[in-house]
Amino acid sequence: MPELVKAKIRDIPDFPKPGIIFKDITTAIKDPETFRRITNHMTEKFKDAGIDYVAAIESRGFIFGAPLAYNLGAGLIIIRKPGKLPAKVEQVSYELEYGTDTVEMHSDAIEPGKKVLLIDDLLATGGTATAACTLIQKVGGIPVAIAFVVELSFLDGRSKLPQDIEIVSMVKY
Ligand code: AMP
């Protein structure tokens, strides 16, 4: 029921800066039925995919990644902004419109050859998810799919993501 989920996502114009329409998912997750719908939709898509780990991107990816990993019987791995993880890390930097950003993961988070499902709340330009995929490969994991609750199709981030990986998004704009 993507349209029922869409109805619960709120548009906040000019956040965090002028010209951006922020897709606010807090109104979706505070509704128990909607949160359950999102989690069940993702679980259904990947229940037979043999996923070893769900890798969730800070911070809204954590919200959806945790119940999904639980449902799939997979482990949960967190991909964080620099300086947050306590043990030895690997990192990947990527270009933003102005400047660069970096994602980090513990170096020993994934055993070689394990199948990883990457998850984030939203696909915009695709920079974050592409960097996160590179990070998964860097530590020896195999990114087999990427899941988003929301896809901003008009930005065409999908075309920048690795093409040999399954991309799933529940709500599209
Ligand atoms: P990108 O790397 O451009 O695909 O951006 C994706 C990341 O930025 C995700 O973690 C989103 O949470 C966040 N993001 C980008 N644009 C928006 C938006 N319009 N509304 C909400 N979150 C956004």
Side-chain angles (χ1 to χ4, degrees), residues 42-113:
M42 302 290 185
T43 304
E44 205 47 46
K45 293 271 179 205
F46 296 107
K47 67 180 192 320
D48 301 318
I51 301 299
D52 296 303
Y53 291 113
V54 173
I57 302 177
E58 183 171 1
S59 57
R60 288 181 296 277
F62 295 173
I63 295 167
F64 301 104
L68 180 59
Y70 180 89
N71 277 353
L72 293 177
L76 180 65
I77 289 171
I78 55 177
I79 295 175
R80 300 209 64 179
K81 291 165 184 147
K84 302 278 190 180
L85 289 168
K88 185 172 177 280
V89 297
E90 295 295 332
Q91 57 171 224
V92 172
S93 295
Y94 57 101
E95 299 291 321
L96 297 174
E97 200 178 343
Y98 302 103
T100 64
D101 221 335
T102 302
V103 283
E104 289 188 349
M105 184 192 285
H106 276 147
S107 308
D108 62 357
I110 304 172
E111 300 77 23

Side-chain angles (χ1 to χ4, degrees), residues 20-23 60 94 120-129 152:
I20 304 283
I21 298 173
F22 193 86
K23 297 294 178 191
R60 288 181 296 277
Y94 57 101
D120 202 359
D121 68 322
L122 182 141
L123 170 63
T125 66
T128 311
L152 303 183

Side-chain angles (χ1 to χ4, degrees), residues 28-42:
I29 58 175
K30 75 172 222 184
D31 180 57
E33 209 37 58
T34 306
F35 192 30
R36 190 191 302 275
R37 252 187 205 115
I38 295 167
T39 305
N40 288 351
H41 179 88
M42 302 290 185

